[in-house]
Amino acid sequence: MQPFKVIIIGGGFSGAMTAYHLLRQDKVACAITIVEPKKPGLSLGLGLAYSTTCDEHLLNVSAAGMSALADQPDHFLNYARSKDPAVKAEDFLPRKFFGQYVQELLNSAIAEAKVDFHSFSLVQQSALDIEEDDDDDDEDETSKPRLKVRLDNEQFLEADIVVLALGNLSGKQPAWIDKLPMTSAHYIHNPWNTEAIETIDSNDSVLLVGTGLTAVDKIIELKARGHVGSITAASRHGLLPRRHLDLPALHPQQLNWEERDEIKLSALSALKFVRQQSAQAVNWQAGVDSFRSITQRWWSNLALGEKRNFMRHLQTYWDIHRHRMAPSIAAKIESYQKSGQLRLLSGGIKQMQQSKTKVAVTIKERYSQAQTILFDRVINCTGPQSKLKAIDSQLMANLHKRGLIAPDPTGAGINCLPSGEIIDGSGKTNKRLFAIGPLLKAVLLESVAVPELKGQAQALALLICSAKL
């Protein structure tokens, strides 16, 4: 019997863990290929989040909550303690250490896979397109691969199943860049371009467009490199992620969300109720964390219009409370603000253009007149894009053009089932094309962090095997 050919496009956490679970099962023989372009400093299993070389980039969840295996909650903590017995459950460890953990998991699964049953390969190319064999004359749909993945070297890989594990995707040219050329030496479009970050002089004045976790990472990285110039972070709301407790609860307080049928609340009513419950809890963090026990059910019951309202008006406030900074990171950010090294601005960028050796940026803050400020460098820290038309990906553009994917009705991510099965442009569920991670944000709401992704990867591997069985 021919092995089931599974191609996973993307070699970050989601792709690596999907491969891990496929290799660990013994029901279906799989020939697994991960397609991941070769990039400096980016190794299999790391993705953008865990490929950082900055020791001060920490996990946003304590060690006790970072197991990559849903059925072994202490797995990462035990791994960390095997390397250093002094590690505590409440410690926020370096992200690159977690990347090492993921890599070792995948490598062990590859090494221990059943001989003559599973196979694994890595193709270091970019996937540009997927062609679908629509030969309806073949009575046995499982007799031959039905998908062909086109690579940037013009070769094709055949597959029975393709998984889009693309992680967080960057956007195209932002509107706010205005008259400043994308190619300007003063502008860094990709904040994870280490070589570009290293060209920033320690005295340069820097503008970070965005105040989320990406901006926090860049502040920490710049300071770790000895940066002493001024740093300004600007966004529409001017809000930073909140901080974790110094001693986060290892067993979050469970509040009773079911008595008033909260899973049917509107977006605004749910926000008010979370605030009420948080006020009654030991701390607001407990209220927010306890809501996660019903987040998916509440979101699935929410009307389309309510989902759109949430994404437009409330998403920012949810994100800054849900995705927090490690306490030590938050303390550093606060100290930089107090010393004047870091300034936050809330408002919109009205104009940006080259001005001799600097960039002139006009910002209109709330309740204030517009002001023009000169910066040596501008870094795009607006974070990943979720709108299909705004994503800078030839693969996604080609799949959309072919009708293999379509935007979710909310406008964020792609149309798919919570299981990851993709719904194409005609409204038909594709049983051979799956997605995992941020592409499922619109249907799951929470689909970007390890606590959710580890369950997705395990469930997706089971679903893929059931497609063969």
Side-chain angles (χ1 to χ4, degrees):
M1 181 180 293
Q2 291 294 320
F4 209 34
K5 293 184 178 180
V6 180
I7 292 179
I8 302 171
I9 302 177
F13 177 83
S14 296
M17 291 311 299
T18 301
Y20 170 88
H21 287 294
L22 287 172
L23 289 165
R24 299 285 288 185
Q25 57 81 33
D26 58 4
K27 300 291 191 299
V28 176
C30 293
I32 303 163
T33 301
I34 288 183
V35 177
E36 174 75 18
K38 186 174 184 179
K39 297 177 182 177
L42 191 61
S43 300
L44 189 59
L46 300 184
L48 289 177
Y50 310 118
S51 61
T52 178
T53 58
C54 180
D55 291 329
E56 295 189 46
H57 282 164
L58 304 183
L59 295 167
N60 298 319
V61 177
S62 63
M66 285 298 292
S67 172
L69 304 178
D71 56 352
Q72 298 182 51
D74 293 330
H75 193 269
F76 175 64
L77 179 59
N78 292 334
Y79 171 86
R81 285 174 171 169
S82 73
K83 306 294 183 181
D84 180 0
V87 170
K88 299 185 291 293
E90 63 269 22
D91 287 346
F92 291 80
L93 301 177
R95 290 215 302 262
K96 68 178 188 180
F97 176 73
F98 184 79
Q100 172 188 321
Y101 161 70
V102 176
Q103 286 184 315
E104 288 192 21
L105 270 176
L106 179 57
N107 288 337
S108 68
I110 294 171
E112 297 168 8
K114 294 177 63 176
V115 179
D116 298 328
F117 192 68
H118 295 312
S119 65
F120 176 86
S121 61
L122 170 65
V123 174
Q124 293 185 306
Q125 298 286 333
S126 294
L128 301 183
D129 200 358
I130 299 174
E131 296 182 7
E132 192 171 33
D133 184 352
D134 55 0
D135 183 5
D136 295 327
D137 295 332
D138 188 355
E139 295 181 359
D140 182 5
E141 293 189 355
T142 64
S143 65
K144 65 177 183 178
R146 290 295 182 134
L147 299 174
K148 292 182 179 180
V149 178
R150 179 165 66 86
L151 307 176
D152 56 1
N153 62 1
E154 294 303 322
Q155 292 184 349
F156 286 84
L157 299 177
E158 292 187 333
D160 297 294
I161 295 285
V162 173
V163 177
L164 302 180
L166 305 178
N168 290 313
L169 294 167
S170 60
K172 300 176 183 176
Q173 177 173 321
W176 47 259
I177 198 173
D178 195 38
K179 299 180 178 64
L180 183 69
M182 283 271 287
T183 55
S184 170
H186 300 276
Y187 174 68
I188 299 176
H189 184 67
N190 177 9
W192 304 109
N193 184 339
T194 303
E195 292 181 358
I197 297 296
E198 289 176 347
T199 65
I200 298 176
D201 188 82
S202 61
N203 293 300
D204 280 351
S205 56
V206 178
L207 171 64
L208 308 177
V209 183
T211 57
L213 289 173
T214 302
V216 170
D217 274 350
K218 294 304 104 179
I219 295 167
I220 296 299
E221 185 176 351
L222 286 169
K223 300 303 291 184
R225 294 184 59 252
H227 188 269
V228 295
S230 65
I231 300 176
T232 301
S235 68
R236 187 160 59 97
H237 297 91
L239 297 173
L240 287 168
R242 299 306 188 243
R243 67 183 293 163
H244 274 287
L245 297 173
D246 290 332
L247 291 174
L250 302 184
H251 303 287
Q253 178 181 1
Q254 294 300 311
L255 304 180
N256 189 349
W257 295 99
E258 304 294 345
E259 291 181 358
R260 291 172 46 188
D261 208 15
E262 282 76 28
I263 61 174
K264 295 183 180 179
L265 288 174
S266 67
L268 186 58
S269 296
L271 175 65
K272 292 179 178 178
F273 193 63
V274 170
R275 295 181 67 179
Q276 291 171 4
Q277 292 295 311
S278 297
Q280 298 172 20
V282 176
N283 47 66
W284 66 260
Q285 289 91 339
V288 171
D289 291 346
S290 68
F291 186 67
R292 290 175 60 191
S293 65
I294 65 162
T295 298
Q296 306 295 13
R297 283 180 291 158
W298 168 73
W299 186 253
S300 66
N301 278 282
L302 207 58
L304 177 59
E306 286 293 316
K307 289 181 178 180
R308 288 172 174 166
N309 285 336
F310 177 89
M311 289 180 169
R312 182 173 182 179
H313 301 292
L314 302 177
Q315 182 84 60
T316 296
Y317 298 98
W318 170 253
D319 285 346
I320 63 172
H321 290 87
R322 164 67 182 86
H323 303 286
R324 306 168 205 143
M325 292 184 280
S328 61
I329 297 298
K332 289 179 180 179
I333 296 297
E334 290 170 8
S335 70
Y336 301 148
Q337 287 182 271
K338 289 179 181 178
S339 68
Q341 298 173 74
L342 171 64
R343 176 172 58 158
L344 293 183
L345 297 179
S346 60
I349 295 176
K350 301 303 179 182
Q351 191 177 58
M352 188 178 294
Q353 60 184 353
Q354 193 83 31
S355 176
K356 295 183 179 179
T357 60
K358 295 182 181 288
V359 178
V361 182
T362 302
I363 302 175
K364 173 66 171 67
E365 289 192 86
R366 291 183 177 183
Y367 316 115
S368 302
Q369 291 185 338
Q371 57 177 322
T372 299
I373 310 173
L374 296 177
F375 295 97
D376 294 303
R377 294 298 188 96
V378 175
I379 307 176
N380 182 357
C381 295
T382 53
Q385 284 293 327
S386 59
K387 292 184 178 180
L388 193 53
K389 290 185 178 180
I391 292 173
D392 186 17
S393 166
Q394 186 174 347
L395 172 64
M396 295 297 285
N398 286 336
L399 296 184
H400 189 199
K401 185 177 180 180
R402 285 185 180 278
L404 288 177
I405 62 173
D408 184 86
T410 62
I414 60 175
N415 197 11
C416 55
L417 301 178
S419 61
E421 294 171 273
I422 291 176
I423 301 173
D424 65 21
S426 67
K428 180 181 177 182
T429 301
N430 192 326
K431 298 295 185 179
R432 295 179 176 273
L433 188 59
F434 298 84
I436 185 174
L439 290 176
L440 275 65
K441 180 181 177 181
V443 69
L444 294 177
L445 181 60
E446 292 292 332
S447 191
V448 298
V450 166
E452 285 75 36
L453 296 180
K454 64 184 178 184
Q456 282 187 34
Q458 185 174 17
L460 180 55
L462 289 173
L463 186 58
I464 289 171
C465 291
S466 68
K468 176 63 173 178
L469 295 171

